[in-house]
Every structure is written in structure tokens, then in C-alpha cells.
Amino acid sequence: MVVLALWERVIKPMTRGLAVISALLCGGLALLVTSEVVLRGFTGESIRGIFEIAELGLVMTVFLGFANAEVDLTHVRVTLLTDRLSPAAASRVRGVALILGAVFCAWMGWELTERAIESFNVGEFRTGLLNFPMWPSRSFVAAGTAFLSTVLLVKGLVLMTGRAPASATTSAEGGVAHVA
């Protein structure tokens, strides 16, 4: 099945790649904040713009990790309905919910992309001790949201078929094999 192959060969590796980038950004932020603390402790001086860098970097880190959180099943789930359904019905209900979520995230991704382009075109900056351009973080938010939409759509289509990838776990969300 094409959708299942797309999930295993394209979506999962891409989410892992974005998770690695997110982890590297997080590590960079940790080093930066640690450097700030050490510098301030020894010299009483601060790194100019640390607050703005950390603020924008954290946004990038979070949005790059959203799709991987869905793939790894670490997003919040409510199984009140699916626990009461047969495995096949629960899988299809979950698939419909994911497809609806994908439509919403696609709309958000579109709007966020427009905002990122507008931010670039007008030269929007985050003012503080240093002025940082907003378009890179807005672009990361738009890309992360758009990719989450793709993950939700493909995962929803896989669940709608009633099939699960070879790597799916058999632990239950309403008895449904998870797309992992």
C-alpha cells in the first residue's frame, strides 16, 4: 500500500531528522544559557540579547518536534470513545479525527506561512537589547505546523485502511494498533 510505504519510508525518517535538529537547537540553547550563567557569575556581565535568542530559539525547538511527538505517540490522547469501540471501528474513528486535525493544521500552516513571508518582506524584528529578525522563527513555526499536518493526514489515511505499519505497537488506544 502506497500510504503505508510513504509513512515508513518518508514520514518517519523526516520526523526523526526534524527531531534531531530540534534536539540540537535545544542543546545549543542549554549551552548558551549555561554560558550566560557562568559569564555573569565570573564577570557580572551578561550576553547581550540572550533573552531574545532563547525566546526565539525555544519556539523553533518546540515546533520542529511536534510531528515527531505524534509519530512517537507522545501527544495527549483521550480514549474515552475509542475504548468502547471495536478495534476496527476505533481505528477508523481515530483516522477521521487525524484527518480533521490535518485539515486544521494545514490551514494554520498556510496562515503561518503567509505571516512568515510578510515578516520577511516588511523586515519585522523582535526588539530588545538586540533586534532579531522574526521571519526565521516564524518560518520554523510554519514549517513545523505544515509538516505536522502532513503527518496527521498520512497517519489518518493509514488508520482509515484498517492496516497498521510493521512497526506499529500492539498496545492499545482503544485496542487499536498504533502507527509508530
Side-chain angles (χ1 to χ4, degrees):
M1 150 170 250
V2 174
V3 177
L4 199 54
L6 178 66
W7 177 262
E8 292 292 333
R9 294 191 181 118
V10 178
I11 299 295
K12 284 180 68 176
M14 284 182 70
T15 61
R16 299 293 184 250
L18 289 177
V20 167
I21 294 168
S22 178
L24 291 172
L25 280 170
C26 190
L29 286 172
L31 288 174
L32 190 61
V33 170
T34 302
S35 300
E36 162 74 6
V37 170
V38 170
L39 182 66
R40 188 177 287 178
F42 284 116
T43 67
E45 296 292 319
S46 183
I47 298 173
R48 281 187 56 152
I50 186 77
F51 179 77
E52 292 82 7
I53 293 169
E55 184 179 56
L56 297 177
L58 188 59
V59 166
M60 293 182 208
T61 300
V62 167
F63 276 85
L64 284 181
F66 275 157
N68 191 61
E70 179 60 35
V71 168
D72 287 346
L73 304 172
T74 53
H75 273 296
V76 175
R77 298 185 187 321
V78 178
T79 61
L80 189 64
L81 173 63
T82 54
D83 284 344
R84 289 163 174 72
L85 299 173
S86 69
S91 181
R92 285 177 178 76
V93 166
R94 177 93 172 112
V96 168
L98 288 172
I99 291 168
L100 291 174
V103 169
F104 179 74
C105 285
W107 169 71
M108 277 182 36
W110 181 266
E111 293 295 324
L112 290 166
T113 300
E114 286 181 347
R115 285 296 314 255
I117 292 168
E118 179 184 340
S119 177
F120 179 79
N121 287 338
V122 301
E124 180 183 16
F125 283 88
R126 166 74 170 88
T127 57
L129 291 177
L130 295 176
N131 290 331
F132 282 94
M134 290 293 294
W135 68 266
S137 60
R138 289 191 185 277
S139 299
F140 274 73
V141 169
T145 304
F147 190 61
L148 175 61
S149 174
T150 303
V151 167
L152 294 173
L153 177 64
V154 173
K155 186 175 177 181
L157 291 173
V158 169
L159 289 173
M160 288 296 291
T161 65
R163 298 177 64 177
S167 62
T169 65
T170 55
S171 63
E173 174 194 307
V176 181
H178 288 299
V179 180

